[in-house]
Amino acid sequence: MDRIAALEGVSPQFVETLYDKYSKDPGSVDQGWAEYFSDLEAGVSKSGPSWARSDWPLRPNDDLTTGLDGSDMFIEDSRPAKDAGTAVSQADVRAATIDSIRALMMVRTYRVRGHLMANLDPLGLEERPVNPELKPETYGFGPGDMDRKIFMDGVLGLETASVREIIDILKRTYCANLGVEFMHINDPEEKAWIQRQIEGRDKEIQFTDRGKIAILNKLIEAVQFERFLGRKYTGTKRFGLDGGEAMVPALEAVMKTGGQYGLDEIVIGMPHRGRLNVLANVMQKPYRAIFNEFHGGSFKPDDVQGSGDVKYHLGTSADREFDGNKVHLSLNANPSHLEAVNPVVIGKTRAKQEQKKDTKRHTTLSLLLHGDAAFAGQGIVAECFGMSGLRGYNTGGTVHFIVNNQIGFTTSPQFARSSPYPSDVAKMVQAPIFHVNGDDPEAVTYASKLATEFRQTFRRDVVIDMICYRRFGHNESDEPAFTQPLMYAAIKKHPSVVKIYADRLIEEGVITAEKFEQMENEFVSYLEDEFESAKEYRVNKADWFEGKWEGLGLADKDHEKRRAQTGVAEMMLREVGEIITSVPEKFNIHRTLKRVLENKQQMFENGAGFDWATAEALAFGTLLREGYGVRLSGQDCGRGTFSQRHAVFVDQKTEDRYIPLQTVNDNAQFTVLDSHLSEFGVLGFEYGYSMAEPNSLTLWEAQFGDFANGAQIIIDQFICSAEAKWLRMSGLVLLLPHGYEGQGPEHSSARLERYLQLSAEDNWQVVNCTTPANYFHVLRRQMHRAFRKPLVIMTPKSLLRHKRCTSELADFGPGSQFHRVLWDSAETPNGGSITLKSDDKIKRVVLCSGKVYYDLLEERDKREQDDTYLLRVEQLYPFPERAIKMELQRFKNAESIVWCQEEPRNMGAWFHIHEPLEDVLIDLEMTCKRPAYAGRAASASTATGLASKHAAQQEALVNEALTK
């Protein structure tokens, strides 16, 4: 049994009682305990009793004294070695063993509870009463026992040690300015590693004079930069790092240590507090550029369009070198929605690791900075921890750095969380946590170094919790004393960390007071020079088409020039078809899936009847064949929510998995992942992945379209607006099952209206396809255009198996492409049961999108209403004005133009489309100048839960569209 692990959760009294039983009868206790006591006794016997002195009895060092002492007859060089065990009585062994057990239990308690007594709060506001479990008296050691030697058997790196030395080492290790939580970790190797790093006689935090001056330099830069901004831009919001400046040398330590351990890239995410300091002093963004932004300058060239963002949301990238190791840094831009950037950073990191084929997750690290209130309060933190060990999402661990200001805006910690520390959520993945006093920059830097080494050694998450304070309010014009008068009275009197540390170095003789003053003055003078240069500073270049994005560019303003060649040669289609319909030999396929595959084979034989899932597989397979990667992620998307996709075959006897599309091209990766039950985290991850990998079709599928509600922050703050705010592009595809089939409020609408409301400035594409072929082409179009835009697709449910929702092989072939507007099926061969009148005799044109088309088609044909034309708007944004004009001008005599939708009037596309449609009708000088609405009445809920009511509403809206 492990010396310490054996004592988990037991009291000293229990162990001593157990040992008494063992002493009387070794067979009376569990075998594990018997071995434990036996090993301990053996060790004690070798070392002698705990009170034995190695220098007693005194050996005379002269012949005269030896001769006078008849009891000491030494025969030099011929005296046999004394067997230490033979001189130790059983009573001595028992007493020494009990001493060892008590000492080991005390060590274990310090490892578990020591952080509770650590000196962590720079302000000294928190009372930390002495924990009785940490008192030596609890283990039977009184004042008179302090110098007694105890057999430790290597624990704390000691063979034997006095009680006093043991306590000194434990207090220095666990109760000084650094407190470590790691005993919740199950892996004994990880625990032992941490113990080896921090426990022992020689394990004090030590830096060379050169290292100390380097830390001081970074503190001067951090503190004086904030003070300079405060003087020059008084009252301007900057969300300064004041009070937490030790973070800056700590981040340098992560980078330097990481470089030594093989890192060549770090992807960083952080909140707005302290961002300007990180941009300047870690990312080395020119000070003049930051000052220019304070003067109202832009972060981008004047000829680059976009709304921009406030300076404390912006990102940047840089190359740094530490001890000859080059490390590329990228700081992600992010909104004020705290922690929302976390999954984006992790997804971006995963993409970069895959680009480098870094399967060991050794060269690229995600580094996340957090505030204390946000880390404890925002659920996305737990979602990201939940992904950290999962196949397809694991990045080999993230280094988390909490700037623990001990406050959240105006809320004190006791009202902001139920746990003792903000970092407690990290225990869900057994991450070690280093709590450290922010006024001890050496301890903070050491903790960061240790955390980075742990991550690089074990590829797991690790947390640094730097307890500090926020010198000003939530922003620089805020008055924090309204709500925390005692805290801010203490802060007002509290010296800065650079003053505290400089005084310490002066006292140690590392620098002089004059040298410190010179260092500060030189840096402030440099800032003044940069301030003057900022007046003429101009950004010459936008950093958005570099690296993997090279060769891509902006979308042409003429939408007609954006067409892509997405048709595929029949031979390639059939080759991919062969792969997706074949099963390996001796693979025990599910009998229903076998029928599905046989039906797909029939599609290729007949060249017709291609359904939605087959078209999707063809899109993926042909892209893979062309060398593009494909990554599909979401809840249950391997099989598909509606059992339609079957991208993964599962052997019915062994549960072995076979993924046909992974065999299409050895040089192009196909990944399909059943994600954990998260929308916010997983969508953020896939967005981050798509940012770093533009040459892979990255898709996220919601289980049902409205489940994307849980990821609304990612959609609002990143996907739809990142290009305008931060010049950051993405080709991410959102697959959102949508359609009214009577399944109730939560399984009907993907909230199309929300995406259309967010549509502006050519920010993305929103489509609602009605044919498998059009779906095939819109997916392929994502990769075959020279620009990237997010794509939101309202995907079907009932249409997955609808007998009329099929395509022919030729629809995927050469010359075919995506159609933003689709014609009435009656105009196509075998498209309908009626023949429409000539264009000049069409009296009604019904425009629609998605599933309702088939309801309208069926009823129109049933009524033989041959003067009604059904026009499908497949792409809702960007609005296909020219294509719609081209079709509508055919029907100059139409008396009624109707927009029909399944959604309630206040939802769906109506409010987005009726004005552009009206403009088209006016431009064409149509008889009908305004479109009529046919659909459900406005509603608070998306859909009814009553099947009968749904059917009545559906029948009514179809009738209204055909008669209004």
Side-chain angles (χ1 to χ4, degrees):
M1 294 176 83
D2 180 84
R3 288 278 181 269
I4 299 294
L7 307 177
E8 184 88 31
V10 297
S11 67
Q13 293 80 8
F14 170 78
V15 179
E16 287 180 33
T17 303
L18 212 58
Y19 181 60
D20 280 339
K21 287 178 67 179
Y22 167 82
S23 299
K24 294 170 186 173
D25 177 12
S28 66
V29 300
D30 177 83
Q31 184 181 350
W33 280 108
E35 291 173 359
Y36 177 84
F37 293 136
S38 174
D39 291 347
L40 202 55
E41 284 184 344
V44 167
S45 297
K46 288 177 185 175
S47 65
S50 58
W51 54 86
R53 287 178 55 178
S54 59
D55 61 346
W56 192 270
L58 295 173
R59 177 172 177 171
N61 57 7
D62 64 279
D63 293 336
L64 177 61
T65 308
T66 301
L68 293 174
D69 187 353
S71 65
D72 197 331
M73 301 297 292
F74 293 102
I75 302 174
E76 298 297 334
D77 300 324
S78 61
R79 181 177 177 228
K82 180 180 177 183
D83 182 358
T86 60
V88 182
S89 70
Q90 186 59 36
D92 288 345
V93 169
R94 182 182 182 283
T97 301
I98 288 175
D99 272 353
S100 292
I101 289 171
R102 289 173 173 175
L104 294 176
M105 293 199 75
M106 182 168 68
V107 170
R108 183 191 175 279
T109 304
Y110 265 88
R111 288 173 176 171
V112 176
R113 303 262 189 265
H115 62 90
L116 297 173
M117 297 298 299
N119 176 36
L120 299 177
D121 181 9
L123 302 175
L125 297 176
E126 183 187 5
E127 291 185 18
R128 293 175 86 86
V130 177
N131 190 310
E133 290 183 83
L134 300 178
K135 293 181 178 179
E137 293 86 352
T138 302
Y139 305 92
F141 300 122
D145 301 314
M146 289 298 103
D147 296 315
R148 195 158 82 234
K149 293 283 186 181
I150 305 290
F151 172 63
M152 296 299 289
D153 197 23
V155 174
L156 298 180
L158 309 171
E159 193 60 29
T160 61
S162 68
V163 175
R164 188 185 310 281
E165 184 181 14
I166 292 167
I167 292 171
D168 285 346
I169 290 174
L170 289 172
K171 284 186 174 179
R172 186 196 73 211
T173 304
Y174 294 108
C175 303
N177 291 341
L178 176 66
V180 188
E181 286 190 273
F182 67 99
M183 292 297 283
H184 54 280
I185 298 173
N186 288 337
D187 188 325
E189 188 181 347
E190 292 177 11
K191 284 194 285 194
W193 184 91
I194 293 173
Q195 290 161 15
R196 286 195 300 272
Q197 305 308 307
I198 64 177
E199 292 181 346
R201 289 190 174 106
D202 58 343
K203 296 299 173 64
E204 292 177 284
I205 297 174
Q206 295 177 335
F207 285 85
T208 63
D209 287 356
R210 184 181 171 190
K212 292 176 180 181
I213 291 171
I215 291 172
L216 180 62
N217 259 319
K218 297 311 292 185
L219 289 176
I220 289 171
E221 290 175 9
V223 171
Q224 291 299 335
F225 176 70
E226 297 292 357
R227 289 178 180 172
F228 189 85
L229 292 178
R231 287 196 303 274
K232 297 293 185 181
Y233 310 104
T234 305
T236 302
K237 285 184 184 181
R238 55 185 165 87
F239 296 96
L241 188 58
D242 314 74
E245 293 94 343
M247 180 184 80
V248 173
L251 296 185
E252 295 274 311
V254 171
M255 295 162 192
K256 181 174 182 178
T257 306
Q260 294 166 348
Y261 276 76
L263 280 180
D264 59 26
E265 187 162 9
I266 300 177
V267 186
I268 307 171
M270 69 175 296
H272 41 288
R273 182 164 312 287
R275 176 176 286 262
L276 295 179
N277 216 309
V278 169
L279 283 168
N281 295 317
V282 177
M283 306 299 296
Q284 297 187 336
K285 181 176 179 176
Y287 294 106
R288 64 185 68 182
I290 295 172
F291 298 151
N292 178 259
E293 288 165 17
F294 271 96
H295 297 154
S298 175
F299 74 99
K300 56 184 177 60
D302 294 338
D303 61 344
V304 174
Q305 298 298 309
S307 58
D309 200 352
V310 291
K311 49 197 161 292
Y312 42 80
H313 285 171
L314 301 177
T316 193
S317 61
D319 291 308
R320 298 284 307 275
E321 188 169 324
F322 302 89
D323 302 330
N325 301 308
K326 289 184 179 178
V327 181
H328 180 72
L329 310 175
S330 59
L331 174 63
N332 259 60
N334 66 272
S336 285
H337 291 66
L338 295 171
E339 309 296 336
V341 76
N342 298 2
V344 178
V345 165
I346 298 169
K348 191 174 176 183
T349 301
R350 173 77 187 205
K352 289 174 176 289
Q353 290 171 344
E354 291 186 358
Q355 287 164 359
K356 300 173 185 176
K357 303 194 185 311
D358 179 17
T359 55
K360 294 183 178 179
R361 319 287 169 210
H362 185 71
T363 63
T364 307
L365 167 73
S366 47
L367 170 60
L368 292 175
L369 280 56
H370 314 269
D372 51 315
F375 197 76
Q378 293 293 323
I380 187 60
V381 174
E383 289 189 34
C384 289
F385 278 126
M387 282 191 285
S388 64
L390 296 181
R391 175 181 60 89
Y393 305 95
N394 173 27
T395 59
T398 297
V399 174
H400 301 268
F401 193 104
I402 303 172
V403 179
N404 188 343
N405 292 309
Q406 307 184 76
I407 191 171
F409 202 156
T410 67
T411 307
S412 298
Q414 64 266 34
F415 306 119
R417 61 177 185 266
S418 300
S419 57
Y421 297 107
S423 54
D424 287 328
V425 65
K427 291 179 181 177
M428 69 183 279
V429 292
Q430 300 178 40
I433 301 164
F434 298 93
H435 304 285
V436 62
N437 188 319
D439 266 1
D440 184 349
E442 288 185 18
V444 178
T445 303
Y446 173 75
S448 301
K449 174 180 179 291
L450 206 57
T452 308
E453 290 174 352
F454 178 88
R455 188 274 178 191
Q456 288 298 95
T457 302
F458 296 104
R459 309 291 187 271
R460 298 222 301 108
D461 283 72
V462 59
V463 179
I464 303 144
D465 174 27
M466 184 184 77
I467 294 88
C468 51
Y469 56 90
R470 190 186 67 196
R471 186 164 289 279
F472 303 107
H474 177 65
N475 59 63
E476 288 67 28
S477 59
D478 189 34
E479 175 47 81
F482 285 140
T483 49
Q484 278 78 26
L486 297 180
M487 172 183 269
Y488 276 87
I491 289 173
K492 197 170 284 187
K493 301 173 191 170
H494 195 73
S496 68
V497 63
V498 72
K499 176 73 167 63
I500 293 170
Y501 190 57
D503 287 349
R504 175 174 159 185
L505 296 191
I506 291 167
E507 188 178 330
E508 292 175 4
V510 176
I511 61 167
T512 63
E514 293 74 23
K515 176 63 176 174
F516 172 58
E517 185 178 358
Q518 178 191 343
M519 291 166 73
E520 285 199 305
N521 290 339
E522 286 177 356
F523 182 69
V524 172
S525 175
Y526 174 67
L527 290 179
E528 289 287 358
D529 292 341
E530 287 290 291
F531 181 77
E532 289 302 314
S533 300
K535 296 171 184 176
E536 304 301 324
Y537 181 79
R538 293 290 179 273
V539 180
N540 297 320
K541 181 170 168 285
D543 63 337
W544 52 356
F545 298 121
E546 298 175 346
K548 283 285 178 179
W549 286 85
E550 194 170 342
L552 295 168
L554 295 171
D556 198 298
K557 291 183 180 179
D558 183 351
H559 289 257
E560 299 306 311
K561 294 180 180 177
R562 297 185 182 184
R563 295 182 183 277
Q565 297 301 315
T566 55
V568 177
E570 183 177 331
M571 182 178 291
M572 185 188 289
L573 291 169
R574 291 192 179 277
E575 287 171 353
V576 172
E578 178 67 24
I579 291 170
I580 64 176
T581 59
S582 299
V583 180
E585 216 177 318
K586 297 182 181 178
F587 191 91
N588 301 291
I589 195 79
H590 191 284
R591 63 178 183 274
T592 303
L593 181 53
K594 185 179 179 183
R595 287 199 303 272
V596 169
L597 297 181
E598 288 169 353
N599 289 337
K600 290 182 187 291
Q601 288 168 353
Q602 284 293 115
M603 296 174 197
F604 285 95
E605 287 177 17
N606 300 332
F610 287 85
D611 60 15
W612 202 271
T614 309
E616 179 186 79
L618 285 173
F620 293 166
T622 52
L623 285 171
L624 290 163
R625 182 58 66 89
E626 292 164 345
Y628 296 102
V630 177
R631 177 185 169 92
L632 171 62
S633 165
Q635 294 157 22
D636 313 300
C637 68
R639 190 200 75 176
T641 301
F642 313 103
S643 289
Q644 86 282 8
R645 181 171 290 118
H646 295 293
V648 182
F649 300 169
V650 179
D651 189 292
Q652 295 302 294
K653 293 184 178 178
T654 65
E655 288 200 3
D656 289 342
R657 292 158 53 91
Y658 172 67
I659 302 174
L661 285 170
Q662 288 186 344
T663 67
V664 170
N665 185 348
D666 293 338
N667 298 315
Q669 184 173 341
F670 176 72
T671 305
V672 57
L673 298 164
D674 295 334
S675 74
H676 72 153
L677 204 63
S678 153
E679 288 83 30
F680 190 169
V682 178
L683 180 56
F685 186 102
E686 301 307 333
Y687 171 73
Y689 190 99
S690 71
M691 287 178 66
E693 184 44 275
N695 295 314
S696 175
L697 179 67
T698 307
L699 310 96
W700 175 77
E701 182 172 61
Q703 193 176 71
F704 284 89
D706 53 342
F707 290 5
N709 288 353
Q712 200 68 45
I713 289 173
I714 296 296
I715 294 164
D716 290 354
Q717 306 302 324
F718 291 93
I719 299 174
C720 82
S721 55
E723 183 179 338
K725 291 191 294 187
W726 310 315
L727 308 184
R728 286 295 170 263
M729 294 181 172
S730 162
L732 180 66
V733 179
L734 276 63
L735 304 178
L736 309 177
H738 174 81
Y740 280 61
E741 287 112 355
Q743 294 190 58
E746 270 68 60
H747 297 98
S748 296
S749 175
R751 293 287 190 174
L752 171 62
E753 64 280 355
R754 293 185 178 171
Y755 301 95
L756 293 176
Q757 186 186 39
L758 293 169
S759 299
E761 298 183 302
D762 197 19
N763 59 335
W764 59 9
Q765 309 148 97
V766 181
V767 304
N768 191 4
C769 300
T770 58
T771 71
N774 229 19
Y775 177 53
F776 167 91
H777 288 296
V778 82
L779 290 177
R780 286 181 49 79
R781 187 176 74 164
Q782 281 295 94
M783 293 291 99
H784 279 277
R785 297 196 291 192
F787 63 91
R788 296 289 180 264
K789 297 274 186 187
L791 171 62
V792 181
I793 307 180
M794 303 290 116
T795 54
K797 294 175 300 196
S798 63
L799 294 192
L800 294 170
R801 295 176 177 84
H802 196 289
K803 63 182 184 297
R804 299 186 75 166
C805 185
T806 61
S807 297
E808 297 184 359
L809 188 61
D811 297 333
F812 309 110
S816 60
Q817 61 181 3
F818 175 71
H819 294 286
R820 293 164 295 168
V821 175
L822 272 180
W823 311 275
D824 196 311
S825 296
E827 291 189 311
T828 61
N830 305 316
S833 58
I834 67 170
T835 301
L836 295 178
K837 290 181 177 178
S838 60
D839 292 352
D840 61 335
K841 292 180 181 176
I842 294 294
K843 298 300 182 186
R844 175 185 304 274
V845 179
V846 181
L847 294 94
C848 63
S849 190
K851 181 190 80 72
V852 74
Y853 168 75
Y854 291 96
D855 296 337
L856 291 166
L857 181 65
E858 184 178 354
E859 185 61 26
R860 191 271 312 270
D861 289 6
K862 181 179 170 185
R863 296 183 184 188
E864 296 185 352
Q865 197 167 316
D866 57 4
D867 63 349
T868 298
Y869 190 93
L870 305 179
L871 184 63
R872 289 169 277 179
V873 182
E874 302 280 289
Q875 178 175 293
L876 294 160
Y877 186 82
F879 180 67
E881 179 182 355
R882 192 179 302 183
I884 289 179
K885 277 183 176 179
M886 191 177 298
E887 297 307 317
L888 286 182
Q889 69 184 359
R890 295 165 50 193
F891 312 112
K892 287 290 188 178
N893 297 325
E895 297 168 359
S896 181
I897 307 291
V898 180
W899 173 260
C900 179
Q901 65 179 40
E902 297 183 295
E903 302 87 355
R905 188 184 184 103
N906 58 320
M907 302 175 196
W910 172 245
F911 277 110
H912 166 79
I913 207 165
H914 76 88
E915 287 186 359
L917 265 182
E918 187 173 341
D919 291 342
V920 166
L921 297 177
I922 292 170
D923 287 350
L924 292 176
E925 299 180 347
M926 299 285 286
T927 305
C928 176
K929 296 292 193 291
R930 179 171 292 177
Y933 171 80
R936 285 175 169 83
S939 171
S941 176
T942 54
T944 178
L946 302 174
S948 57
K949 190 172 181 180
H950 161 77
Q953 289 176 345
Q954 198 75 5
E955 184 180 343
L957 71 88
V958 169
N959 180 64
E960 188 178 16
L962 297 176
T963 59
K964 193 168 186 176

